[in-house]
Amino acid sequence: PTQPTQAKMASNENDLRQTTATGDANSNGLLMDVVESIYTPGINSGVAICMGILFVLLLITNVGLLLAFDFNIHLIVLLLLTLVLAGLMLWFIPQILEEQEKAKAETKAKDK
């Protein structure tokens, strides 16, 4: 009788370690999350992380160009557009995730 309980506890510990290490028990890695998001509606954490990384790189590039070309007005406008787009995406992604959670909850409620 104690062996199944010990096996269950070990299994739960392994699941907890995997969830803590990856941030998501179903995560297959950043690249696989992005590829899987092509075939599933909505976004997942991999897409959000990639977008954040790309916006940071774009901002760094825009600031570098701005400094290299003596504050050209076109580059200032490009930097402002990048900042607005990044800000809107930071606002919009949580909205999408919230709607996905609502849809999952509604689906679970209908299944019961």
Side-chain angles (χ1 to χ4, degrees):
T2 60
Q3 288 178 345
T5 306
Q6 290 175 348
K8 190 182 285 188
M9 287 176 46
S11 174
N12 289 341
E13 286 180 15
N14 288 337
D15 291 343
L16 181 61
R17 275 192 224 123
Q18 182 180 359
T19 302
T20 305
T22 61
D24 182 10
N26 299 324
S27 179
N28 295 324
L30 189 62
L31 183 60
M32 288 304 296
D33 283 348
V34 172
V35 171
E36 286 176 5
S37 73
I38 295 170
Y39 302 108
T40 57
I43 63 170
N44 57 31
S45 62
V47 173
I49 291 170
C50 281
M51 285 178 50
I53 291 169
L54 291 175
F55 275 121
V56 167
L57 291 174
L58 182 59
L59 288 170
I60 290 170
T61 302
N62 285 341
V63 169
L65 287 171
L66 194 63
L67 295 174
F69 290 103
D70 297 325
F71 295 95
N72 184 341
I73 187 68
H74 299 96
L75 293 173
I76 292 171
V77 170
L78 185 61
L79 179 64
L80 291 175
L81 287 172
T82 302
L83 288 171
V84 168
L85 182 60
L88 288 173
M89 292 311 296
L90 287 173
W91 168 77
F92 190 65
I93 288 173
Q95 302 296 323
I96 293 173
L97 295 174
E98 183 179 316
E99 289 299 318
Q100 285 178 338
E101 291 300 319
K102 284 181 185 177
K104 285 180 186 178
E106 288 175 4
T107 304
K108 286 182 182 179
K110 287 181 183 178
D111 289 341
K112 290 182 178 182

